[in-house]
Amino acid sequence: MRDLFGGGDIEALGDGAAVLRGFALREAKDILAAVVEVSAAAPFRHMTTPGGYRMSVAMTNCGRAGWVTDRRGYRYACDDPETGRAWPPMPPSFRDLAMRAAAAGGFDGFEPDSCLINRYEPGTRLSLHQDRDERDYAAPIVSVSLGLPAVFLFGGLQRSDRPRRVPLESGDVAVWGGPARLAFHGIMPLAEGHDPLTGRSRINLTFRRAL
Ligand code: MD6
Ligand code: FE
């Protein structure tokens, strides 16, 4: 069962991890409008991995720190390397949503200082990885899905642990922390489709406590 107003189901993905079905559905339109504003100041771009590959996911950030990758490595930076300016501030509504989602997932007191915004198009994928560039792992990761559906791969603490395949729809929020903080995760190649709010794309917001 799910309702339209964010009071929906919580699906456990193991100890410390859950999907909050439809948690961000009510504010989806407003979030996407804010993403358009952020990306006017800090455009989506395809970053380069330390190994020299162009990422198929297009990314930007808002908040005090933004996640970046280039030939020198993965890290958080307070300035956008493309513009030389600070990342756009995190809208208060983003922070509020992330805090409420973290609390619903069992993590009270989450204070995100970084919001990585990812744009996927059909065919785009994100290979299995851990989020480990943050200074400490006490805070959870909160990941908001909007637009086209995707299959989230959620594994264990070893790369070799077989991941579960979790379908994510627009408005779903995944939260992982505590014993699951360093779980391997990824996104299967996006299927072709059309979403009424985003068209031919999926927008993902990942909130972290980076610094
Ligand atoms: C998702 N994204 O798109 C999950 N992690 O649902 C991630 O796990 C992620 O998009 C690190 C960097 C970029 C990402
Ligand atoms: Fe990740």
Side-chain angles (χ1 to χ4, degrees):
M1 256 293 280
R2 64 199 306 176
D3 70 25
L4 284 169
F5 302 102
D9 287 354
I10 299 187
E11 207 174 295
L13 295 180
D15 201 13
V19 176
L20 314 175
R21 295 292 179 192
F23 195 88
L25 211 47
R26 189 180 40 175
E27 49 255 85
K29 235 178 145 165
D30 293 339
I31 297 168
L32 290 165
V35 167
V36 169
E37 296 220 342
V38 167
S39 66
F44 281 103
R45 80 291 307 262
H46 294 274
M47 298 186 197
T48 303
T49 67
Y53 293 99
R54 172 186 187 268
M55 294 191 74
S56 64
V57 184
M59 300 182 173
T60 185
N61 290 277
C62 64
R64 202 150 69 86
W67 186 84
V68 297
T69 175
D70 58 20
R71 291 307 299 242
R72 287 158 49 210
Y74 304 127
R75 65 195 171 278
Y76 283 92
C78 293
D79 292 332
D80 177 349
E82 291 293 316
T83 65
R85 295 189 304 265
W87 296 104
M90 189 184 304
S93 59
F94 281 25
R95 182 185 131 89
D96 181 68
L97 169 65
M99 292 185 73
R100 284 185 290 112
F107 302 96
D108 278 322
F110 180 45
E111 295 264 10
D113 56 11
S114 179
C115 174
L116 171 63
I117 306 173
N118 301 121
R119 188 182 65 206
Y120 296 72
E121 277 160 20
T124 302
R125 66 192 290 268
L126 189 68
S127 55
L128 218 55
H129 66 279
Q130 296 168 295
D131 287 6
R132 51 188 296 171
D133 304 313
E134 300 73 28
R135 194 177 58 80
D136 93 55
Y137 301 140
I141 304 285
V142 172
S143 174
V144 177
S145 291
L146 297 170
L148 286 181
V151 178
F152 184 49
L153 298 170
F154 195 77
L157 300 179
Q158 310 295 140
R159 185 179 288 281
S160 56
D161 295 337
R162 184 140 67 91
R164 339 176 18 156
R165 293 174 175 217
V166 184
L168 292 179
E169 287 183 38
S170 193
D172 291 348
V173 180
V175 178
W176 63 98
R181 176 62 181 74
L182 291 175
F184 278 87
H185 59 280
I187 292 285
M188 302 260 290
L190 217 69
E192 198 53 75
H194 181 273
D195 178 85
L197 292 180
T198 62
R200 200 169 163 267
S201 67
R202 169 177 185 262
I203 300 289
N204 167 260
L205 283 70
T206 312
F207 293 94
R208 300 101 186 280
R209 178 86 194 170
L211 304 181

